[in-house]
Amino acid sequence: MGITESEEWKKLESHKNTLEQENFNLLNAFNTDSERFNRFSIEFEDIFFDYSKNLINSETLKLLTDLARSVNLHDKIEACFSGEKINITEDRAVLHTALRQSSGNPIYVSSENVITKVHKELDKIEEFVESVHEGEFVGSTGKRFKDIVNIGIGGSDLGPSMVTEALGYYSTGHLKAHFVSNVDGTDIMTTLKKLDPETTLFIVSSKTFTTQETMTNAETAKKWLLEKLPYDENNTSMVSNHFIAVSTNVQACVEFGINEDKIFKFWNWVGGRFSLWSAIGISIALIVGMKNFRSLLAGAEAMDNHFRYTPFEKNIPVIMGLLGIWYINFWNAETQAVIPYDHYLSKLPLYLQQLDMESNGKSVNIDSENISYHTAPILWGAAGTNAQHSFFQLIHQSTRLIPIDFISFANSLHSAEHQKILLSNFFAQTEALMRGKDRETVEKELAKSDLSKEEKNKLIPHKIFKGNKPTTSILINKLTPYTLGSLIAMYEHKIFVQGIIWHINSFDQWGVELGKQLAKKILAEIDSKSYIDNHDSSTNGLINKYIDMQL
Ligand code: F6P
């Protein structure tokens, strides 16, 4: 029996209909229940999670947690943490949580203790970071590194680049980070222009070490380096002094010319989009130092323990996941916005897009059957308050239902004066979205204007805000490596919860393969420089136009 036929699902459907028939209104819900805020908020360490401004009541929470129990969520969490091969289409364990486990308690995958490997690799990263910071490992001409360039894409780029930016305040000041991901030559060329080859260290980050974009950019960087640096007979010290790699494919890294001791490993039980906690995070460690990197891991580990051991009703990622299910499957919400009210977190929505949509953008369940219900939301967002002046109009007054996560920090890293203004906007938006503005209020506002009655009547509907828009507020004491680690892990686990309820495999990404295969085929055709006629007429026409247009 599919999840949508289950008793728990059906009860939620009829509960949603009841709420709708009763015109469930958030403001009324607050007015009639003085305990609503306390009931629907959770405090975990420095994180305050307020979900009281959502379209729910106590019955909703009960029915949603019943749904979670009906799919044995607790056992599924344990299976994941203990290294069972829950990524069934790739026959792999899913153990990004092991990357931040500080205790030596063993976890076995194919009878190997992964924790020993994780700790060993972390020590190796630490040693390397120190050797760069101390000026022991230097460029081929003996100069200290000033710039690092992470070459990677998807999970081998988004996590490190988001976190490096988010923790910019904690930079040790030794190095400046650059991230090159796009195969569009503009990305690498404009980056190289800013760099001095003698003081640049390239980090080729790729789980597979075969990704077209990454390998193309890495080869271009290598060529640039060899052209720019003083000639060395074998080119050995030039490549090996200026390139390190992070990969599961050691052989390919060696073939690229990277010294084996400068290859940092991770393992196939770490999904690309969950890999920032592994050596893929080496650029983070180089920028903020190992102490801060370990603190990032510790924050994530704290969230892992909260997720693993807290009853569903007080479990932040479980509640987040269930709220998402509630809106996507019962209220037909198509999207989920994430608005960080912190400029350092500007890249968080981009990072979460991969995390959520690559994980749960599926239409086949783990029994290999097509499913009829929606899965991952279309995730989007931008930093507040900038977002208020671009797309918030649609959130406030369009016909769409858009659940939003608002994230902010009580204490600024820079200016308490600005923070007050920032946070007043953070609070005001969720209140405005809930409260709206009714006809009576608009009429009062217009009472003193010079407009005629007819003009006023025309204008009034435009100024009405229906309100009753759901939001969740995540207020954190301060942006630190630790709290950031917790925040990211919170979203990872939210996605896990949803994947379990939707009965899908959140850990493969077959959907990205087809385009990659076709691009390879078309590249070979373009290289042949003759007109193409073996595709549909649009694709043929476009490729042939491109051939004609070539200067
Ligand atoms: O395009 C999908 C993907 O496989 C992502 O899942 C992954 O993070 C990215 O490509 C990069 O892969 P790799 O680290 O192997 O270069």
Side-chain angles (χ1 to χ4, degrees), residues 181-355:
S181 54
N182 203 330
V183 76
D184 180 343
T186 304
D187 200 1
I188 183 93
M189 294 307 178
T190 53
T191 306
L192 293 178
K193 257 192 186 164
K194 295 181 246 172
L195 300 171
D196 175 352
E198 289 187 82
T199 54
T200 300
L201 176 67
F202 293 96
I203 305 162
V204 188
S205 296
S206 175
K207 184 172 170 179
T208 53
F209 225 76
T210 56
T211 304
Q212 186 190 45
E213 291 89 337
T214 302
M215 297 329 296
T216 307
N217 283 324
E219 288 296 344
T220 302
K222 183 156 87 173
K223 199 164 157 252
W224 173 82
L225 192 88
L226 297 178
E227 275 167 14
K228 300 273 174 188
L229 282 182
Y231 186 68
D232 154 3
E233 243 178 28
N234 309 314
N235 292 332
T236 46
S237 74
M238 276 137 82
V239 177
S240 62
N241 273 54
H242 290 266
F243 277 86
I244 65 168
V246 185
S247 188
T248 58
N249 186 352
V250 175
Q251 177 65 28
C253 301
V254 172
E255 278 161 23
F256 183 88
I258 295 170
N259 264 359
E260 206 152 347
D261 69 321
K262 297 289 179 298
I263 300 168
F264 297 85
K265 291 186 214 67
F266 67 118
W267 308 274
N268 73 11
W269 40 263
V270 181
R273 54 193 171 275
F274 301 91
S275 63
L276 74 89
W277 323 98
S278 71
I280 286 287
I282 200 162
S283 49
I284 305 171
L286 281 163
I287 293 302
V288 300
M290 201 59 194
K291 199 164 156 257
N292 283 323
F293 187 64
R294 286 194 191 269
S295 179
L296 180 83
L297 301 185
E301 185 182 25
M303 184 53 72
D304 294 341
N305 290 331
H306 167 79
F307 179 52
R308 198 170 175 185
Y309 300 118
T310 310
F312 293 167
E313 288 74 9
K314 286 284 162 201
N315 189 318
I316 300 177
V318 170
I319 298 291
M320 283 176 96
L322 292 174
L323 285 171
I325 299 276
W326 179 230
Y327 291 120
I328 294 165
N329 301 116
F330 298 92
W331 290 80
N332 302 322
E334 290 277 338
T335 82
Q336 165 77 52
V338 178
I339 314 291
Y341 275 68
D342 191 293
H343 209 72
Y344 278 125
L345 294 193
S346 298
K347 285 189 180 161
L348 183 69
L350 288 179
Y351 165 77
L352 291 177
Q353 280 178 339
Q354 186 199 13
L355 194 65

Side-chain angles (χ1 to χ4, degrees), residues 153-156 206-208 211 272 354 358 509 512 516:
I153 196 164
S156 301
S206 175
K207 184 172 170 179
T208 53
T211 304
Q354 186 199 13
E358 194 168 80
Q509 57 285 320
V512 297
K516 284 189 198 171

